Amino acid sequence: MNYIRERLSAKLFLANLAVIMAGVVILAVTIQITIPAAYNRHMGMMDDSSMMGNGMGMWQGQGQGNGYGMTLFENFRASMFESLAYAVTASVIAALLVSLFLSRRIVAPVRTLTDASQHIAEGYYAERVQVNGSDEIAQLAARFNRMASQLEQVESMRRQLIGDVTHELRTPLTSIKGYMEGLVDGVLPSNAETFNQIHREADRLSRLVDDLQELSRVESKAYSLDIRSVSVPTLVQTTLKRLSPQVTAKRITLRSNLPADLSPLLADEDRITQVLVNLAANAIQYTNEGGEVTISAERRADEVRISVTDTGIGIPPEHLANIFTRFYRVDKSRSRNAGGGSGIGLTIAKHIIEAHGGRIWAESKGEGQGSSFTFSLKVAG
Ligand code: ADP
């Protein structure tokens, strides 16, 4: 009994058998009920036109017909049921064959999918199933393959992330360890400069941890957007104010260039300020002393584009496509020496802009020719 409950092929066979049995029962009952009247009518028609003579072939009801008519009718009915018995046997054989065919068509791919999902559950994300045809089973197989490749992608991203994070953590930790060993062995002087170096590395570690936390929040969309109408001049003023210490320290000219009648944006003010501060801070960081950084905005159809343009070190064209990828830095040592971060800032910015339904991109004519970062968002109303 359990075998039948657990096997789809057995269920298919029983379902076919049940349909045939229902047909047979209906057939038998219908024949049983209708055959006397039908027999009389057809034999009556034969009597009218044949040489059998009146009433020879007819069964006229219980006790009324002649003996020959009765025997003929009984034999006719027996032959009918005999034929029916053959038909039932043939149908059962047909049901068996059809179920075997269906099993091959339905049960076999279902079993393949079951085995493949078991492999995926065991961590073999490269597992795929063959897709034949375009029916529901084939669609299920195609969806299964898509799910498997997404899982594979997530898994490879996870591995990559662990590798990247390990690498990023190791560098400042190795430095701190080196300084400490130097201090213990007396190779390094225990003065303010050494302690400042250690502090700088610890600071880098702490920024990395903060960035990673923020990245994980935006990547998993574990935050909500408070979308309102946001005034672009206010946004730019907040950014300028926040960056004024860096601007002064590096003797950079930071200015804004906004049209007077610019429509407000539809955005989460804090999040967009975070993006703009990040882009402008990068621009200041990758621009040499005496350079210029400009925040400008313009309306294009139903969106507003905000750009941060600098006269800094620029980005070689081959790197432009990658700089929004996490941990990507054009020149790791240059970025690090310039007090740069871990290459997560632009990834976070991209996530935030895309969560608003906007776009963000970078342009640069090449090394030493400055860069421009632009994002577009919908206008309010
Ligand atoms: P980081 O914290 O390292 O600056 P980001 O994600 O903000 O990380 O930037 C990624 C990389 O893009 C940087 O390491 C740098 O190489 C490049 N980059 C970003 N902004 C600029 C810019 N304004 N000019 C030149 N290069 C830039």
Side-chain angles (χ1 to χ4, degrees):
M1 208 56 196
N2 270 351
Y3 175 85
I4 293 171
R5 240 181 261 139
E6 284 164 14
R7 297 282 158 166
L8 188 55
S9 50
K11 281 185 187 169
L12 284 172
F13 174 66
L14 285 183
N16 282 326
L17 205 59
V19 171
I20 288 171
M21 284 310 172
V24 167
V25 169
I26 291 169
L27 208 64
V29 172
T30 314
I31 289 173
Q32 183 70 24
I33 294 170
T34 59
I35 202 165
Y39 182 83
N40 279 345
R41 200 169 59 251
H42 285 278
M43 283 306 183
M45 281 192 304
M46 225 175 118
D47 285 347
D48 290 344
S49 56
S50 75
M51 329 86 36
M52 282 182 86
N54 189 26
M56 271 242 319
M58 284 181 70
W59 174 76
Q60 293 173 342
Q62 212 68 28
Q64 285 175 31
N66 60 42
Y68 178 72
M70 272 293 282
T71 316
L72 195 60
F73 173 71
E74 292 299 339
N75 281 329
F76 174 74
R77 193 161 62 173
S79 64
M80 274 292 296
F81 280 109
E82 193 181 316
S83 290
L84 199 60
Y86 288 132
V88 168
T89 313
S91 303
V92 170
I93 293 168
L96 189 65
L97 294 176
V98 169
S99 332
L100 276 177
F101 175 73
L102 286 179
S103 297
R104 285 176 69 91
R105 292 296 305 250
I106 299 170
V107 180
V110 169
R111 216 169 274 164
T112 311
L113 278 168
T114 311
D115 291 346
S117 58
Q118 178 63 30
H119 280 145
I120 288 198
E122 285 160 8
Y124 299 104
Y125 296 103
E127 186 78 26
R128 298 289 181 277
V129 292
Q130 212 182 329
V131 181
N132 295 321
S134 59
D135 59 10
E136 282 85 349
I137 298 256
Q139 285 172 22
L140 178 65
R143 295 261 165 94
F144 177 89
N145 284 345
R146 206 178 312 151
M147 179 200 74
S149 61
Q150 273 168 2
L151 280 174
E152 195 178 18
Q153 208 179 328
V154 168
E155 175 62 11
S156 101
M157 277 168 70
R158 190 184 66 84
R159 284 210 190 115
Q160 169 99 35
L161 181 64
I162 291 177
D164 288 342
V165 170
T166 314
H167 176 80
E168 295 300 324
L169 288 175
R170 189 176 292 130
T171 318
L173 277 176
T174 310
S175 284
I176 292 173
K177 228 172 112 189
Y179 283 120
M180 298 312 271
E181 279 166 7
L183 279 172
V184 171
D185 297 346
V187 181
L188 283 176
S190 55
N191 57 18
E193 198 193 326
T194 310
F195 294 127
N196 271 335
Q197 294 280 12
I198 296 172
H199 184 264
R200 216 169 295 148
E201 295 299 334
D203 196 39
R204 189 191 302 284
L205 265 180
S206 134
R207 263 187 293 143
L208 174 64
V209 171
D210 288 347
D211 282 355
L212 281 172
Q213 196 177 20
E214 179 68 0
L215 179 68
S216 130
R217 253 158 54 85
V218 294
E219 279 193 337
S220 61
K221 299 190 171 60
Y223 66 98
S224 55
L225 291 176
D226 180 15
I227 305 275
R228 290 159 194 249
S229 169
V230 178
S231 140
V232 181
T234 313
L235 202 68
V236 174
Q237 278 312 315
T238 315
T239 308
L240 296 183
K241 214 178 291 168
R242 253 190 233 180
L243 292 170
S244 77
Q246 283 101 306
V247 172
T248 319
K250 218 172 163 188
R251 292 196 294 113
I252 289 214
T253 312
L254 174 60
R255 58 168 171 230
S256 63
N257 179 11
L258 307 175
D261 56 346
L262 196 63
S263 316
L265 289 174
L266 211 49
D268 180 319
E269 189 166 357
D270 288 347
R271 289 285 168 186
I272 296 304
T273 307
Q274 181 186 352
V275 171
L276 197 54
V277 168
N278 187 282
L279 296 181
N282 273 353
I284 295 167
Q285 187 182 324
Y286 299 109
T287 299
N288 294 325
E289 284 199 8
E292 275 181 22
V293 175
T294 311
I295 302 179
S296 54
E298 59 167 341
R299 175 150 181 182
R300 285 275 184 99
D302 63 343
E303 56 181 38
V304 171
R305 289 184 178 184
I306 301 183
S307 302
V308 178
T309 309
D310 62 59
T311 58
I313 59 174
I315 302 166
E318 67 272 21
H319 293 285
L320 274 175
N322 298 319
I323 53 170
F324 292 97
T325 308
R326 63 161 114 83
F327 298 113
Y328 193 88
R329 285 171 300 214
V330 173
D331 176 345
K332 295 203 177 205
S333 60
R334 182 185 71 176
S335 169
R336 188 162 281 138
N337 292 339
S342 44
I344 297 179
L346 288 178
T347 316
I348 294 174
K350 187 168 189 270
H351 274 289
I352 294 176
I353 295 297
E354 286 177 355
H356 279 80
R359 285 186 309 128
I360 182 166
W361 65 96
E363 288 160 302
S364 174
K365 292 205 175 75
E367 219 157 334
Q369 312 219 39
S371 323
S372 180
F373 285 78
T374 308
F375 62 86
S376 65
L377 290 171
K378 288 262 175 290
V379 294

